[in-house]
Amino acid sequence: MLSGTRRFIKNALSNVVSGGASAVIALVLPYFFVRIFNPLEFSLWVLVLQLAAYVNFLNFGVQIAVGRFVTHALARDCQKEAEEVLASGLQILIALALLALIVIAATAYGMPFIFKTINHGMVGTARTMLTCVGGALALGLPFSAFLGVFVGLQRNDIPAGITLVSKGFLALVLILVAQKTHSLTSVAGAYFLASMAGYVLHYIVFRWFCRGWHLHLSGAHTAMRRELVSYCLSSSAWSLGMLLIRGLDTTIVGIYDFRNVAGYGVSANVVSLFTGFFHSVTSPLLQVFTKYNAKGDGQGLATALKCTSYLVTILLFVSACWAVLPVHPAFRAWVGPQVAMAGIPIFVVLIFANAVRYSADPYSIYLLAAGMQRKVYLSPFVEGVTNLIASIVLAKFIGAIGVAWGTAIGAVTGILTNFVYNFSRTLPKELPIREFAMENIVFPCLMCLPMLIVLAVMWRFKIALQFAAPCMIIATLPSAIAGWRKYKELERLKGQPSGMMP
């Protein structure tokens, strides 16, 4: 196996480990919190976490930009330029952190005016929680630049280890404090302190692995800051689109259907882990596609994009089908029957909606690697606005499940916009649009059709899981065979100039 292939697999596995660390927060905490706090308190915890998570959108892709420019600098053996990239990224992220703190303070003050269905006696607790949790995430923005450096070094295993330790420590502290105090305010304070300890770990590890680096914030040049800002602004439409798609869903539920915030929140968290897993696997493609682009190998880039798109789409739908299969007993054992009753239908809609959306993940990474994200402003904006409008309208009539259907409508709109508008302007000339459409959507969906039929029959006739599972195994075979053939095609190509791994 080629060294490039080994590096890709190592980086992908490292990202999976990092995502698994986040799963501790998303999966383990609800199991304990739903049993420690009453339903309204748990819903408030879910809502505050979602509001605080808006801070992450203020990163505006600076971490990704730092990783990309560090990769380019080190490819030319120019460590000084890489140091300048880091210093510039830190300056930008510090400014964004200050902005985030202001936004958090304003949101905390306005909570009773925004969420009028929240019990007035819980408003003070909500404000304290949002200040602590949101403040912790805001102060963590500058430290993401160090993770970007490790990505640029193609050492994804280092940030994965940092995330695993810090998230694991955070989860343990929160569970212990919750069990000891039964106080959401105390849990929020513990979140802040444990997060600060994790950020210190970020810096210590950076200093250890990059001992030869000289970090001078005042040494960053205006030209480098401008280049980073330009790169990030060009992808800001994507950030805005993702904010409208994923960032506002739980908030909308909190405004129109607060009693079902818990069901929506836990379902959305699981789906985020599902999509995060696939993004972890595909994100090392940025380095692969960047190298093809730097070498001017259009045929290799087209082949890699086509094959990886096929594999990602088919894996997304296969995994979604298998995730839905045991959803009833799994949710009841995890969060109890009350939350599960509201969460299960939401989960089913969200997981397939996101499978559709993330089928475009390799294409998005290709745009970043080729520096063509500047050409794709329309589709994220159209998808985000469509998602937002549909979610609000449907939430008014059918509550939380309407927000999930709004996500599905937005996902389909985004994919259609890509095919109608973006592909003709951005795909490599070696990759015809019709061929890419067949490989990216049509063929993988056809392979997964038997699995969807099994699920539909199981739910329609209430077939027990032990009888449906063997049928699902048989229905999975066409997808497994098709995916294996595509993987072998990549294996045959790896030693050629147009192979997947340069």
Side-chain angles (χ1 to χ4, degrees):
M1 183 177 289
L2 298 178
S3 60
T5 305
R6 289 196 299 269
R7 186 183 301 114
F8 177 87
I9 294 174
K10 183 199 73 173
N11 289 336
L13 290 176
S14 298
N15 289 342
V16 171
V17 170
S18 180
S22 299
V24 173
I25 302 294
L27 296 180
V28 177
L29 285 187
Y31 176 83
F32 288 96
F33 279 24
V34 78
R35 291 162 174 82
I36 295 173
F37 301 109
N38 64 51
L40 286 180
E41 288 176 327
F42 182 61
S43 291
L44 184 62
W45 168 258
V46 172
L47 180 61
V48 167
L49 279 186
Q50 179 63 69
L51 291 174
Y54 292 158
V55 168
N56 295 324
F57 289 99
L58 291 177
N59 184 284
F60 286 119
V62 176
Q63 178 181 332
I64 296 174
V66 169
R68 182 181 187 274
F69 283 98
V70 166
T71 297
H72 274 267
L74 295 181
R76 301 191 302 273
D77 294 323
C78 188
Q79 180 177 311
K80 184 178 180 180
E81 181 182 335
E83 294 169 357
E84 186 180 336
V85 170
L86 173 59
S88 300
L90 282 170
Q91 290 179 344
I92 297 169
L93 286 168
I94 288 172
L96 291 172
L98 294 175
L99 174 62
L101 289 172
I102 295 172
V103 172
I104 287 294
T107 305
Y109 175 78
M111 283 198 74
F113 309 105
I114 301 171
F115 304 98
K116 297 181 180 180
T117 57
I118 294 179
N119 189 307
H120 289 292
M122 303 177 71
V123 171
T125 300
R127 284 173 166 167
T128 302
M129 291 171 62
L130 182 58
T131 301
C132 291
V133 178
L137 294 177
L139 294 175
L141 285 176
F143 293 90
S144 65
F146 299 119
L147 301 183
V149 169
F150 291 126
V151 172
L153 292 169
Q154 299 191 50
R155 289 297 307 273
N156 298 50
D157 55 314
I158 298 175
I162 295 172
T163 303
L164 183 63
V165 172
S166 59
K167 292 289 187 181
F169 175 71
L170 175 63
L172 179 61
V173 168
L174 295 183
I175 292 170
L176 291 176
V177 172
Q179 289 179 331
K180 182 70 174 179
T181 67
H182 289 259
S183 167
L184 285 174
T185 302
S186 299
V187 171
Y191 189 104
F192 182 86
L193 295 176
S195 297
M196 293 302 105
Y199 301 148
V200 172
L201 178 63
H202 282 58
Y203 182 73
I204 292 174
V205 172
F206 166 75
R207 280 302 188 186
W208 176 262
F209 283 96
C210 300
R211 288 187 289 270
W213 284 48
H214 301 284
L215 179 58
H216 301 291
L217 287 178
S218 60
H221 295 168
T222 303
M224 179 56 70
R225 284 197 303 271
R226 187 181 297 115
E227 191 169 4
L228 283 175
V229 169
S230 174
Y231 182 89
C232 294
L233 285 178
S234 63
S235 59
S236 61
W238 296 11
S239 298
L240 176 60
M242 292 311 299
L243 173 62
L244 297 176
I245 293 164
R246 285 170 36 189
L248 299 178
D249 51 358
T250 306
T251 304
I252 295 172
V253 176
I255 294 172
Y256 293 102
D257 192 11
F258 180 71
R259 63 188 179 87
N260 283 320
V261 165
Y264 191 97
V266 296
S267 300
N269 283 341
V270 177
V271 173
S272 293
L273 292 175
F274 169 79
T275 56
F277 168 81
F278 280 94
H279 186 66
S280 298
V281 172
T282 59
S283 60
L285 288 172
L286 178 65
Q287 295 139 345
V288 176
F289 291 164
T290 297
K291 288 183 178 180
Y292 275 124
N293 184 64
K295 292 181 178 181
D297 186 359
Q299 184 59 52
L301 187 59
T303 302
L305 175 59
K306 180 180 69 173
C307 292
T308 54
S309 293
Y310 184 97
L311 286 171
V312 166
T313 301
I314 205 166
L315 284 172
L316 278 167
F317 279 94
V318 168
S319 300
C321 290
W322 274 99
V324 168
L325 185 67
V327 67
H328 282 89
F331 262 60
R332 289 194 184 97
W334 177 38
V335 292
Q338 183 176 347
V339 177
M341 184 180 300
I344 287 172
I346 293 169
F347 172 78
V348 173
V349 176
L350 284 179
I351 198 166
F352 283 111
N354 280 275
V356 172
R357 170 178 296 116
Y358 278 84
S359 65
D361 211 28
Y363 171 68
S364 300
I365 296 171
Y366 153 76
L367 291 173
L368 291 171
M372 287 196 292
Q373 73 278 7
R374 297 172 178 86
K375 296 184 177 182
V376 180
Y377 289 111
L378 183 62
S379 57
F381 180 75
V382 169
E383 180 180 357
V385 171
T386 303
N387 191 325
L388 179 63
I389 294 174
S391 296
I392 292 174
V393 172
L394 292 175
K396 289 181 178 180
F397 290 100
I398 56 177
I401 189 67
V403 180
W405 279 112
T407 302
I409 293 170
V412 173
T413 302
I415 293 296
L416 290 176
T417 307
N418 278 338
F419 281 98
V420 172
Y421 181 69
N422 291 328
F423 288 164
S424 61
R425 302 162 56 246
T426 58
L427 282 180
K429 63 179 184 298
E430 294 86 356
L431 183 57
I433 296 176
R434 184 178 180 278
E435 179 181 350
F436 185 64
M438 299 298 288
E439 294 280 343
N440 184 222
I441 295 293
V442 178
F443 289 154
C445 289
L446 287 176
M447 292 298 100
C448 294
L449 187 58
M451 303 179 69
L452 295 173
I453 294 174
V454 170
L455 288 176
V457 171
M458 182 188 76
W459 280 45
R460 174 65 178 82
F461 296 101
K462 295 182 173 57
I463 299 175
L465 179 61
Q466 60 265 33
F467 298 111
C471 298
M472 182 65 80
I473 293 174
I474 297 173
T476 307
L477 290 177
S479 299
I481 294 171
W484 177 253
R485 287 178 176 174
K486 188 61 64 175
Y487 172 76
K488 296 304 292 183
E489 180 180 342
L490 289 173
E491 284 289 295
R492 289 193 297 271
L493 290 168
K494 71 181 182 181
Q496 303 174 12
S498 61
M500 180 179 173
M501 302 299 165

